[in-house]
Amino acid sequence: MAAASAGLDRTAAPTLRVDGARLWGSLMAMAEIGATAKGGSCRLALSDEDREGRDLFRRWAEEAGCSIVIDSMGNIFARRAGRDASAAPVATGSHLDTQPTGGKFDGVYGVLAGLEVIRRLNELGIETDAPIEAIVWTNEEGARFAPSMIGSGVFAGVFDQAEAYATRDLDGKSLGEELARVGYRGEEPCGAHPIGAFFEAHIEQGPVLEAEGRTIGAVVGAQGMNWYDVELSGAEAHAGTTPMARRRDAYLAAARVADRLAAIAHAHGPHGVATVGQVQVFPNSRNTVPGRVAFSVDLRHPEADALAAMEAAMARALAEICDPVGIERRIERISAEAPIGFDPDCVEAVRAAAQALGFEPKEMVSGAGHDACFLASVAPTGMIFVPCADGISHNEVESATPEDLAAGASVLLNAMLERAGRAA
Ligand code: HGY
Ligand code: MN
Ligand code: MN
């Protein structure tokens, strides 16, 4: 009965629901920042558009009575006070940065669902025991600065901050310089911020929930994901006078490697996936045989040993393709995220909240990486998925329904409240 005497009401609270129209309105207002002609979003990490989105989030959070802390990696912590200021906050959040041809919901849904939780608690006059926080993590996508999830990765001690500051985009600008330029290089040392528990709401970015007619995914873990930088060096040559047999064509070798990577993924199907997303050809002239090609590789699999086998198969493919034609190769693994499992109590809080709202949640493993994957190593963490149309994401047509988004945010509200406790 200690909890009751401390004025902490753990009785089963009525199931609360967010204001779905307000959440949708905030999503559409944020989508106007970096809006693309095809209806998507482009707010590359630490760009002017990212800064504008961050500034809007901060304004909304301050209007909701939150105090704001920004850490040395630009992660933003918007805190709604609880009765016990010394308690570690129950937090939620995601990212505002997008892919170059991103959608309106990847990341931003998790940030604004967190803001809606705070707005709704304010509206209902509910005081929690622990503080509630909504967080914006820096550079989750990794589209501009590799690797991905750098803000949460430095926070969790996975990446070194100095190395993160030094990483450069294709124009040679460093993350540290850009962080200072947009005014988000905060004072709080990254990683010093206490987190009592973390929940992330996100669109599934895959077809499963929609195909099964389900609204809520209770995410139990995420698959492993390795990123590589590969550089192949041959020799520039004249496109007209150089016989095919005398060429050391770096692009042709890279194309063959990409084809073999697809075969490796199929061989480790149905879950193995491989992607070459970024390719730079040098000197990139129509009538010069490419002498050098730099490209990215993204390998993923839910099982660690299968992911290791895919990496070994990639190394063999590179040797078999490059050695016979005298192409030199350099490969660097720039990030390696092992498959992770989320905290069973957090998964249960998500499941129970969904059921209380009338949804039967589907247990799922995430195919995408998320900031929650790193938070899981420093705090009890769970994720909530909602469907997106045709499972499409990292595409301007990405879409989700106001009803599903509201449902996921209501699950988030109840799961966080259960964890934070209501002051009686
Ligand atoms: O790459 C991912 O899985 C995430 O969308 N950044
Ligand atoms: Mn995301
Ligand atoms: Mn993404």
Side-chain angles (χ1 to χ4, degrees):
M1 293 303 286
S5 61
L8 192 53
D9 174 7
R10 291 278 187 198
T11 54
T15 304
L16 307 178
R17 284 174 171 72
V18 299
D19 180 332
R22 179 171 57 203
L23 172 58
W24 182 260
S26 298
L27 285 162
M28 293 306 107
M30 182 63 78
E32 288 174 18
I33 301 173
T36 65
K38 292 183 182 175
S41 296
C42 179
R43 290 190 302 273
L44 293 183
L46 304 180
S47 63
D48 291 344
E49 295 78 14
D50 187 24
R51 168 177 44 196
E52 206 181 326
R54 287 163 166 263
D55 291 349
L56 178 59
F57 168 76
R58 274 177 63 182
R59 178 162 62 80
W60 282 340
E62 288 166 342
E63 286 167 358
C66 292
S67 58
I68 302 288
V69 166
I70 299 167
D71 76 9
S72 52
M73 280 300 298
N75 299 314
I76 304 170
F77 302 84
R79 169 173 289 210
R80 177 181 192 263
R83 193 190 54 183
D84 179 358
S86 67
V90 174
T92 185
S94 192
H95 57 95
L96 290 176
D97 67 300
T98 72
Q99 289 287 327
T101 55
K104 298 189 182 74
F105 305 101
D106 175 4
V108 60
Y109 167 56
V111 171
L112 297 183
L115 179 65
E116 175 54 29
V117 165
I118 289 171
R119 286 168 165 169
R120 189 69 176 126
L121 290 172
N122 289 345
E123 210 165 49
L124 296 171
I126 291 175
E127 185 187 23
T128 56
D129 189 48
I132 295 285
E133 287 192 350
I135 302 172
V136 176
W137 297 108
T138 297
N139 190 63
E140 189 278 345
E141 291 292 0
R144 181 181 180 193
F145 298 106
S148 59
M149 293 125 51
I150 279 188
S152 53
V154 171
F155 182 87
V158 175
F159 299 132
D160 171 78
Q161 178 167 286
E163 289 176 17
Y165 279 2
T167 185
R168 293 187 182 277
D169 66 9
L170 293 179
D171 297 328
K173 291 180 183 166
S174 77
L175 184 148
E177 291 159 1
E178 287 293 279
L179 194 58
R181 182 184 70 84
V182 297
Y184 274 91
R185 193 160 164 171
E187 294 303 316
E188 183 176 270
C190 183
H193 201 93
I195 302 275
F198 182 76
F199 293 89
E200 182 170 358
H202 208 288
I203 53 170
E204 177 199 338
Q205 299 178 297
V208 175
L209 287 174
E210 185 185 57
E212 296 191 13
R214 310 282 277 267
T215 304
I216 301 295
V219 190
V220 293
Q223 70 176 338
M225 152 178 164
N226 289 356
W227 277 17
Y228 308 83
D229 282 341
V230 182
E231 188 169 281
L232 303 185
S233 302
E236 282 90 86
H238 194 295
T241 58
T242 312
M244 294 307 284
R246 293 169 65 92
R247 295 180 179 205
R248 292 169 54 212
D249 184 335
Y251 176 73
L252 184 56
R256 288 174 172 156
V257 170
D259 188 51
R260 281 285 292 277
L261 285 171
I264 289 165
H266 283 294
H268 289 85
H271 300 298
V273 288
T275 309
V276 173
Q278 210 172 52
V279 180
Q280 293 169 283
V281 181
F282 302 92
N284 207 29
S285 164
R286 292 170 188 277
N287 48 359
T288 296
V289 175
R292 187 161 54 87
V293 171
F295 60 93
S296 64
V297 177
D298 175 323
L299 297 181
R300 306 194 196 196
H301 198 286
E303 292 146 31
D305 54 359
L307 189 54
M310 291 170 73
E311 179 177 281
M314 173 173 66
R316 288 194 300 274
L318 277 160
E320 288 163 15
I321 290 164
C322 295
D323 292 353
V325 291
I327 299 275
E328 290 163 25
R329 61 188 183 278
R330 184 183 63 76
I331 181 165
E332 181 189 357
R333 190 170 67 189
I334 63 170
S335 67
E337 319 316 341
I340 61 108
F342 289 128
D343 176 81
D345 291 343
C346 288
V347 174
E348 181 51 36
V350 168
R351 187 186 292 113
Q355 289 167 339
L357 285 159
F359 301 106
E360 192 44 53
K362 177 172 181 61
E363 269 197 13
M364 321 179 64
V365 172
S366 176
H370 299 286
D371 294 307
C373 298
F374 284 153
L375 268 290
S377 62
V378 294
T381 297
M383 282 196 80
I384 301 156
F385 274 174
V386 295
C388 56
D390 300 323
I392 296 174
S393 184
H394 286 196
N395 184 309
E396 292 161 285
V397 304
E398 177 186 278
S399 75
T401 67
E403 296 73 25
D404 288 345
L405 297 169
S410 294
V411 171
L412 178 67
L413 169 60
N414 289 278
M416 291 180 75
L417 193 53
E418 192 278 333
R419 196 83 194 199
R422 289 173 72 152

